[in-house]
Amino acid sequence: MDFLSYDFLRRALSAAALAGPVCGFLGVFLTARGMAFFSDALAHTAITGVALGLLAEGAVEFWFGFALPPGLPSGLLILWCLGAAWLMASLFESARWRPDTVMAFCFTGSVAFGVLVLGKLGRYGFLEETLFGDINANSWGDVAVLGAVTMSAVIVLGRRLREFLLILLDEDLALADGIPVRRLNRILVLLVAAVVAIALKLLGALLVSALLVVPAAAARLVAPNLRLLLVFAGIGGFLGSVGGVILSFYLDLPTGPTIVLTQLALLLIALGLQPLLGHRRRSQSRGSAEATTSQSIWPSSESR
């Protein structure tokens, strides 16, 4: 356990332990609705948020002669991601374009504008940081903000879990049950946006969607029901993220890509377990069906 003697690794482990489970949890709702590309589009949209934060920082320093507080550019990034997610959700509901079309032009437009601003500012180094991230560069303040965002997401989802699950299964049934589907969909989108904005520093725009998509996809292969799907996705997100940090230390590898490859290794393990678990579930369902049939053919003594 000698890696715990390094402060930057303790911060990285803390960030991974916080981000992994909540990303896996949220990823279930995204992948089940065919919105896996949404997190990727949102992460690349954040490039413009980074550029605007640097632009605001430079403008304040130029015009007023003092620097912005350290956390303010990050706050602008979060606000930008929330605004972009709200805009995309509104365009989804307008029915003018398909969701994949909306995500495509938001994705490309934001990347183009962000690169343009970063180029004018001469800050191309931030482009590399935004695309690839560096979980080892997190401060304890970043970890605290990540913890606050993840706890907020867990509390919101936990309090309205039944409603979110019913929307996931059947939106029409949820509407008939009086559930505010549109408002809860917007809340889910904003939660994903906040988590993506914070997790951007961990893996970068190119890899952050893996935290949301891969654990949910792996859990879908082995979970027998929807509630266990959420549990397995959270556990897989935790194991893949924390395991990736530990492996990157001992194998001397870049941390972000190692986290993603660890998540994919768990996906391959789940893929290998699926035939065995599927055979067991089929055997159980067959036994249940045979018991039901025998009861219908040979009624009990009480019914006779």
Side-chain angles (χ1 to χ4, degrees):
M1 303 293 285
D2 52 343
F3 62 89
L4 291 178
S5 62
Y6 297 96
D7 187 58
F8 74 93
L9 281 173
R10 290 197 296 269
R11 295 195 301 267
L13 281 172
S14 301
L18 289 169
V22 74
C23 285
F25 201 72
L26 288 170
V28 171
F29 297 95
L30 289 181
T31 55
R33 304 181 68 176
M35 294 179 62
F37 187 54
F38 175 75
S39 58
D40 198 39
L42 196 57
H44 284 78
T45 301
I47 294 176
T48 296
V50 172
L52 292 177
L54 292 173
L55 185 63
E57 193 175 31
V60 168
E61 188 172 358
F62 177 79
W63 290 103
F64 301 102
F66 64 89
L68 290 175
L72 194 55
S74 299
L76 293 175
L77 171 61
I78 296 174
L79 290 176
W80 172 262
C81 288
L82 293 175
W86 186 274
L87 175 62
M88 281 192 277
S90 301
L91 293 175
F92 294 162
E93 295 169 356
S94 68
R96 295 178 182 176
W97 301 286
R98 287 173 55 87
D100 56 345
T101 304
V102 173
M103 289 185 281
F105 66 68
C106 288
F107 177 110
T108 54
S110 296
V111 170
F113 184 74
V115 171
L116 186 69
V117 174
L118 289 173
K120 282 294 184 181
L121 294 174
R123 308 290 288 272
Y124 278 114
F126 278 88
L127 179 60
E128 181 179 354
E129 181 181 331
T130 305
L131 288 175
F132 299 103
D134 186 5
I135 191 173
N136 295 322
N138 281 288
S139 65
W140 285 115
D142 296 326
V143 175
V145 173
L146 177 60
V149 171
T150 54
M151 285 301 298
S152 300
V154 169
I155 290 171
V156 171
L157 289 174
R159 293 183 62 181
R160 308 299 293 270
L161 184 59
R162 177 189 169 273
E163 289 88 343
F164 279 115
L165 291 178
L166 188 56
I167 293 171
L168 188 63
L169 291 172
D170 192 332
E171 282 197 6
D172 294 331
L173 182 60
L175 283 170
D177 200 34
I179 295 174
V181 172
R182 181 176 179 180
R183 181 161 61 88
L184 290 179
N185 282 337
R186 293 291 182 94
I187 290 174
L188 180 64
V189 165
L190 293 179
L191 288 176
V192 173
V195 171
V196 166
I198 299 300
L200 200 67
K201 195 169 184 179
L202 275 65
L203 297 177
L206 292 177
L207 302 176
V208 71
S209 62
L211 275 183
L212 288 156
V213 174
V214 179
R220 192 183 184 95
L221 295 174
V222 296
N225 56 60
L226 190 55
R227 290 187 180 273
L228 282 179
L229 173 61
L230 294 171
V231 174
F232 289 171
I235 293 174
F238 175 84
L239 293 177
S241 300
V242 173
V245 173
I246 296 172
L247 285 175
S248 70
F249 173 77
Y250 283 111
L251 300 179
D252 193 21
L253 297 172
T255 308
T258 306
I259 290 175
V260 174
L261 292 177
T262 306
Q263 299 280 13
L264 289 173
L266 294 176
L267 176 64
L268 293 176
I269 293 172
L271 193 62
L273 291 174
Q274 187 191 20
L276 176 62
L277 296 174
H279 176 71
R280 182 176 298 176
R281 284 198 289 267
R282 284 195 298 271
S283 300
Q284 291 174 351
S285 62
R286 190 182 304 117
S288 176
E290 289 174 355
T292 303
T293 304
S294 64
Q295 288 177 2
S296 62
I297 294 175
W298 303 102
S300 63
S301 58
E302 293 180 2
S303 62
R304 288 201 299 267

